[in-house]
Amino acid sequence: MNTDTTPRRIHRREFRDRVVVITGSSRGIGRETARLLLHAGARVVLNGRTASRLEQTLDTLRAEFPPEPPSDEGRVSAIACDISTEEGARELVRHATERWGRIDALINNAGVSMRGAAAQLRASAVDSLAAGNLRAAVLPTVAALPELEARNGRVLFVSTVAAIHGFPGVSLYSATKAAVHTFAEALDAEVRGAGVTVGVVMLGFVENDPEKTTLGADGTAFHHERRAMQTQAQAAAAIATALARRRRRTITVGAGRLLDIAHRVTPGLVGAVLARSGGRIHRVSRDE
Ligand SMILES: NC(=O)c1ccc[n+]([C@@H]2O[C@H](COP(=O)([O-])OP(=O)(O)OC[C@H]3O[C@@H](n4cnc5c(N)ncnc54)[C@H](OP(=O)(O)O)[C@@H]3O)[C@@H](O)[C@H]2O)c1
């Protein structure tokens, strides 16, 4: 009896020759998710705005997953575009359908993080976080829906445990990701009848690529270091499993599951604990 039930084996049955579009996959969690799904036999569309970095990731993954005879087309492609715009979102979907003929799943992974006190927020930060997290999740979904509806497809939103309850120091990040959750619920109610599965994956702190930047309360980007709870590979495995099992809601870390229960039962207590956390969860100021 074959007892290999590792995620990769399960995923191979599930993903072989499926076309999966991953927004924001030129680095970080998106790139590792692409790598895992390529291992599982999927055809993957990579995306990011910075063409040079995207090209580098495409080259790396093409070398790791070379074309297999008799097919000579490989299983990975890439399109550089800003998916927080309608034009960019349409470009992403056009590329996927022209290159691979269909879309079986969309992973809305592209996102922007922030760090800074709510009292110091500027309009530019509000606009950047709304575009980078909400528009960047909504617009590719809207563009891909006809394709997804045509083949009982799946759409998955990559989110954070900080969307379960507003966290100090990351107010706009919490708020825009929570807005994505609410969008996902409404979308689910609208498209479930058409056979499309909608899911949300909430991650804890994941290790970052060195070049990752975060936005300050004034809307400017800076480098931010903090301890990780999960590796990128663990986050990718959780995302792939949620997609394979058509899960609607996944929380990947124990602390997040505890927070979820506490938030439902006694949100006031969660608020009180966060108010007394003294920056231990998220430092409020970027200068600390
Ligand atoms: N890292 C964590 O601890 C953590 C925790 C919980 C949730 N998450 C979520 O997981 C997702 C990935 O996080 P990460 O840490 O891997 O981020 P990351 O390292 O900053 O990577 C983000 C990726 O998205 C691309 N991107 C950003 N905005 C885009 C846009 N408008 N259009 C196209 N591409 C865009 C970036 O490339 P370009 O800049 O070249 O466009 C890059 O490839 C995000 O949604 C994040 O909120 C992360």
Side-chain angles (χ1 to χ4, degrees):
M1 191 175 71
N2 191 334
T3 55
D4 181 1
T5 53
T6 56
R8 190 169 293 173
R9 182 174 173 80
I10 296 164
H11 296 154
R12 191 161 289 141
R13 276 202 307 269
E14 187 55 50
F15 289 118
R16 192 161 181 79
D17 291 330
R18 303 270 185 197
V19 177
V20 185
V21 175
I22 310 173
T23 67
S25 40
S26 62
R27 70 164 186 248
I29 296 163
R31 179 197 56 225
E32 289 316 305
T33 305
R35 179 173 273 130
L36 183 59
L37 293 178
L38 285 164
H39 266 299
R43 299 175 193 280
V44 172
V45 174
L46 304 173
N47 159 256
R49 290 163 302 184
T50 315
S52 54
R53 190 192 297 123
L54 184 64
E55 197 63 33
Q56 235 174 24
T57 304
L58 178 65
D59 287 348
T60 304
L61 292 178
R62 267 198 181 135
E64 286 179 35
F65 302 94
E68 294 164 18
S71 151
D72 64 351
E73 57 180 359
R75 288 191 284 111
V76 57
S77 68
I79 175 79
C81 55
D82 181 350
I83 48 80
S84 69
T85 68
E86 287 184 338
E87 194 190 327
R90 280 197 294 265
E91 210 179 330
L92 176 76
V93 169
R94 200 180 316 119
H95 165 88
T97 50
E98 284 177 7
R99 182 68 182 82
W100 303 112
R102 63 176 202 270
I103 299 173
D104 295 295
L106 169 68
I107 301 178
N108 285 301
N109 170 75
V112 184
S113 65
M114 64 121 356
R115 195 61 48 114
Q120 285 158 16
L121 286 173
R122 304 297 302 270
S124 61
V126 181
D127 291 347
S128 297
L129 268 291
N133 289 332
L134 186 55
R135 283 167 61 126
V138 170
L139 298 180
T141 304
V142 170
L145 263 187
E147 278 298 318
L148 296 171
E149 286 181 350
R151 50 193 74 255
N152 293 341
R154 305 159 205 205
V155 51
L156 194 65
F157 298 91
V158 178
S159 185
T160 165
V161 297
I164 295 170
H165 190 108
F167 273 27
V170 292
S171 53
L172 282 181
Y173 182 60
S174 283
T176 50
K177 290 291 193 179
V180 170
H181 292 200
T182 308
F183 173 72
E185 284 169 6
L187 179 70
D188 178 42
E190 291 184 25
V191 300
R192 197 187 283 207
V196 178
T197 311
V198 179
V200 175
V201 174
M202 285 161 260
L203 305 170
F205 290 134
V206 181
E207 63 186 9
N208 286 334
D209 277 21
E211 66 268 30
K212 175 172 173 167
T213 56
T214 194
L215 291 186
D218 60 358
T220 61
F222 70 106
H223 284 280
H224 176 73
E225 300 293 334
R226 64 344 170 234
R227 256 203 346 231
M229 301 161 94
Q230 292 177 288
T231 64
Q232 291 176 347
Q234 286 170 330
I239 290 167
T241 300
L243 199 63
R245 304 256 165 87
R246 290 187 178 263
R247 287 190 182 138
R248 293 204 156 77
R249 199 164 183 275
T250 302
I251 301 176
T252 63
V253 288
R257 288 189 282 273
L258 199 63
L259 172 69
D260 190 44
I261 294 167
H263 174 77
R264 284 162 201 263
V265 177
T266 171
L269 179 64
V270 175
V273 169
L274 288 173
R276 293 164 62 98
S277 68
R280 282 191 302 278
I281 299 170
H282 288 294
R283 289 189 190 284
V284 169
S285 160
R286 64 192 259 177
D287 303 321
E288 281 176 85

